[in-house]
Amino acid sequence: MKKLPGKTVERLSGYRRNLLGYLAAGNNYIYSHELAALLHITAVQVRRDLMLIGYSSVQKKGYDVKELIDTIGTIIDSEQGQNIAVIGIGNLGRAITSYFKGKRSKLNIVAAFDNDPQKVNRVIAGVRCYPVEKMEHIINEQNITIALLTIPPDFARPVADAAIRAGIKGILNFTTVPLNVPLNVYLEEYDMITSIEKVAYFVKEG
Amino acid sequence: MKKLPGKTVERLSGYRRNLLGYLAAGNNYIYSHELAALLHITAVQVRRDLMLIGYSSVQKKGYDVKELIDTIGTIIDSEQGQNIAVIGIGNLGRAITSYFKGKRSKLNIVAAFDNDPQKVNRVIAGVRCYPVEKMEHIINEQNITIALLTIPPDFARPVADAAIRAGIKGILNFTTVPLNVPLNVYLEEYDMITSIEKVAYFVKEG
DNA sequence: TTCAAAGTGTTAATAAAATAACACTGTTTA
DNA sequence: TAAACAGTGTTATTTTATTAACACTTTGAA
Ligand SMILES: NC(=O)c1ccc[n+]([C@@H]2O[C@H](COP(=O)([O-])OP(=O)(O)OC[C@H]3O[C@@H](n4cnc5c(N)ncnc54)[C@H](O)[C@@H]3O)[C@@H](O)[C@H]2O)c1
Ligand SMILES: NC(=O)c1ccc[n+]([C@@H]2O[C@H](COP(=O)([O-])OP(=O)(O)OC[C@H]3O[C@@H](n4cnc5c(N)ncnc54)[C@H](O)[C@@H]3O)[C@@H](O)[C@H]2O)c1
């Protein structure tokens, strides 16, 4: 299958999450406009996204919720699952880890890295924390492909580079420092301060 | 001034942050391509964004860093500043609060709201935590315009509605539940799980 | 059984964002 | 002083994302 637009992937993730709740509430079928309403988007967008992943409904009853959840899974999950490491298990790293742990069967946070002697070699928020020096070893051993970067900005670049050298293939960067990665590594950046400033701007402008 | 595109506002926030570092490193002038390099975008994009805010350089030395920082401030900050409340001061709320506190002179987190008796009426991560029942009162009294929503998903909607009734004009929603807000309220949503799943998808697809 | 209603998949049109192109202005240097 | 250069501001083009339009299918009521 051709690579999907990033925006579509984001929405698919949202569809699945909302569908799980919808299914749990005892509903087995859903119309495009209903799914759209759950996410506050338009029905056309839903249908277009589903078209892109080649999913078709049994007509007139809407989409089979369970089937659709599974289909989205085959598109966005990898069959064997992927392992994740949190680099920098401070306030934010800990919050994310304890929140995410167990939420997705195909995505597991299996290790944390830190350089604080107080944290190293202990289990924090349910995952073992290793010293950064062992990063290469552990990333290989545990087959970790994704890194969540939550260390102080000053160390973001060198540590990210080290993670990439160790074999990381995707980074979600929460630091305020823009990273530069080779083409074979996928980078997603989220800057919370920017989000807050953006809200402030649009509140001001009305 | 005409309202700027959201994407431009996001970049302006990024420009300013990087310029502050650049200035601190002792540089007083910067070319568009240098600023672009800091953020890993193109020089055209920088120039286009600056065009939109009507900023012009004294030619040939590049942009005056200090002046540009100030100009961006006049665009994205409100003169009198804005007050922020964190709703739900759990793991994530605490991480954000302690991180953000004092970072922006025009944006202050001045209150937290929670319903946990253990937290209420105490100072957490540097801000006073009030019971949710007092939300309307405090939001008015402290002139709070922005809410960071970090409560469990089940309560996201009713509590957001209450905040809006109390006078909140902008929400940054970190819960996994899509919100619906009136037109005069600005809503920004960030879904961390979606971000992680997106990284996983693009790692899988290469 | 036929006709209206509701919902889907897809193609076409529109809008938004990023990129390219380029004329213009100072700056350097020959 | 003139010619080459570097960098800017702006308009034009391309690309991407969203929205609209519509023909088709199923359903159910008349
Ligand atoms: N806390 C937030 O809500 C928030 C919001 C936006 C951005 N951020 C960014 O996330 C990052 C972390 O924020 P935080 O609040 O969790 O900070 P924190 O200080 O609580 O955590 C940082 C962690 O990184 C570890 N660390 C420091 N240097 C390291 C190194 N060289 N190698 C490995 N580990 C190292 C520290 O021991 C600590 O555990 C920062 O870059 C910050 O800009 C945080
Ligand atoms: N922790 C993360 O990194 C993370 C990541 C993505 C999304 N989220 C979302 O952020 C939210 C909070 O996550 P968390 O990990 O901080 O959870 P948490 O349980 O640590 O914190 C939730 C806080 O909200 C308070 N609360 C509960 N009900 C309330 C109510 N009705 N009114 C006011 N306060 C109430 C609780 O007392 C607690 O302090 C969740 O919706 C979660 O989906 C968290």
Side-chain angles (χ1 to χ4, degrees):
Chain A
M1 157 136 352
K2 211 178 154 308
K3 217 189 289 185
L4 298 167
K7 292 293 177 73
T8 293
V9 175
E10 290 177 16
R11 282 190 296 264
L12 288 172
S13 161
Y15 296 156
R16 175 164 66 175
R17 187 127 31 76
N18 280 274
L19 286 169
L20 287 165
Y22 197 76
L23 185 67
N27 306 290
N28 292 313
Y29 293 92
I30 191 169
Y31 293 120
S32 62
H33 66 265
E34 292 174 318
L35 179 50
L38 291 179
L39 289 104
H40 307 126
I41 59 175
T42 69
V44 194
Q45 188 129 71
V46 170
R47 296 209 301 274
R48 227 180 177 299
D49 287 334
L50 298 190
M51 186 192 95
L52 288 176
I53 65 170
Y55 182 77
S56 279
S57 72
V58 183
Q59 283 195 318
K60 205 55 212 168
K61 296 190 292 180
Y63 305 102
D64 181 315
V65 178
K66 210 165 169 343
E67 197 177 273
L68 181 48
I69 290 169
D70 289 346
T71 305
I72 293 174
T74 65
I75 301 287
I76 67 177
D77 294 332
S78 39
E79 214 166 328
Q80 67 292 21
Q82 290 188 65
N83 291 329
I84 303 176
V86 174
I87 307 185
I89 187 107
N91 291 320
L92 184 58
R94 236 174 7 237
I96 296 176
T97 306
S98 54
Y99 172 70
F100 190 77
K101 208 127 216 297
K103 274 252 159 49
R104 284 282 165 279
S105 60
K106 299 290 186 182
L107 292 173
N108 296 302
I109 299 183
V110 297
F113 297 103
D114 209 295
N115 70 349
D116 181 344
Q118 300 266 286
K119 289 170 181 158
V120 158
N121 293 323
R122 288 183 42 211
V123 172
I124 299 174
V127 308
R128 177 147 213 99
C129 177
Y130 301 94
V132 273
E133 293 76 32
K134 286 214 180 150
M135 205 156 63
E136 179 146 12
H137 176 64
I138 303 288
I139 284 175
N140 277 290
E141 187 185 73
Q142 305 245 47
N143 190 27
I144 296 169
T145 50
I146 295 171
L148 308 183
L149 203 64
T150 50
I151 51 173
D154 290 351
F155 302 104
R157 279 183 180 147
V159 173
D161 290 346
I164 291 167
R165 278 196 304 275
I168 283 292
K169 289 288 175 277
I171 296 179
L172 177 46
N173 176 27
F174 286 102
T175 78
T176 48
V177 177
L179 296 179
N180 219 345
V181 300
L183 278 155
N184 67 333
V185 173
Y186 181 82
L187 172 65
E188 174 88 10
E189 313 209 272
Y190 178 68
D191 189 323
M192 220 173 270
I193 295 196
T194 286
S195 274
I196 298 175
E197 291 192 332
K198 189 180 172 193
V199 173
Y201 171 81
F202 284 108
V203 165
K204 179 184 75 141
E205 293 297 317
Chain B
M1 157 138 348
K2 214 180 152 310
K3 219 190 285 184
L4 299 167
K7 291 292 176 73
T8 293
V9 175
E10 290 178 16
R11 283 190 296 264
L12 288 172
S13 161
Y15 296 157
R16 177 164 66 174
R17 188 129 27 75
N18 280 273
L19 286 170
L20 286 165
Y22 197 74
L23 185 67
N27 307 289
N28 293 312
Y29 292 92
I30 191 169
Y31 293 119
S32 62
H33 66 264
E34 293 174 318
L35 179 50
L38 290 178
L39 288 106
H40 306 127
I41 59 175
T42 69
V44 194
Q45 188 130 72
V46 169
R47 296 208 301 274
R48 223 175 180 301
D49 287 335
L50 298 191
M51 186 192 94
L52 289 176
I53 63 169
Y55 182 77
S56 278
S57 71
V58 183
Q59 282 195 318
K60 207 54 214 169
K61 295 191 293 182
Y63 305 102
D64 181 316
V65 178
K66 209 162 170 342
E67 197 177 274
L68 181 49
I69 290 169
D70 290 346
T71 304
I72 293 175
T74 66
I75 301 288
I76 66 176
D77 295 333
S78 40
E79 216 167 324
Q80 68 288 25
Q82 289 188 69
N83 291 329
I84 304 176
V86 174
I87 307 184
I89 187 105
N91 290 322
L92 184 57
R94 237 176 4 240
I96 296 175
T97 305
S98 54
Y99 173 70
F100 190 76
K101 209 119 219 298
K103 272 252 158 52
R104 284 283 166 278
S105 59
K106 298 290 185 182
L107 292 173
N108 297 302
I109 300 184
V110 298
F113 296 102
D114 209 294
N115 70 349
D116 182 345
Q118 300 266 288
K119 288 171 181 159
V120 158
N121 293 324
R122 286 183 44 210
V123 172
I124 299 173
V127 307
R128 177 146 211 100
C129 177
Y130 301 94
V132 274
E133 294 77 30
K134 289 216 177 149
M135 204 156 63
E136 179 147 11
H137 176 64
I138 303 287
I139 284 176
N140 278 288
E141 187 185 75
Q142 306 245 45
N143 190 28
I144 296 169
T145 50
I146 296 171
L148 309 183
L149 203 65
T150 50
I151 52 173
D154 290 352
F155 303 103
R157 279 182 182 148
V159 172
D161 289 345
I164 291 167
R165 278 196 304 275
I168 282 293
K169 289 287 174 278
I171 296 179
L172 177 47
N173 176 26
F174 286 103
T175 78
T176 48
V177 176
L179 296 179
N180 220 343
V181 300
L183 277 155
N184 67 332
V185 174
Y186 182 81
L187 173 65
E188 174 86 12
E189 314 208 271
Y190 178 68
D191 190 324
M192 219 173 271
I193 296 195
T194 287
S195 274
I196 298 175
E197 291 191 333
K198 188 179 172 193
V199 173
Y201 171 81
F202 284 107
V203 164
K204 178 184 78 144
E205 293 297 318

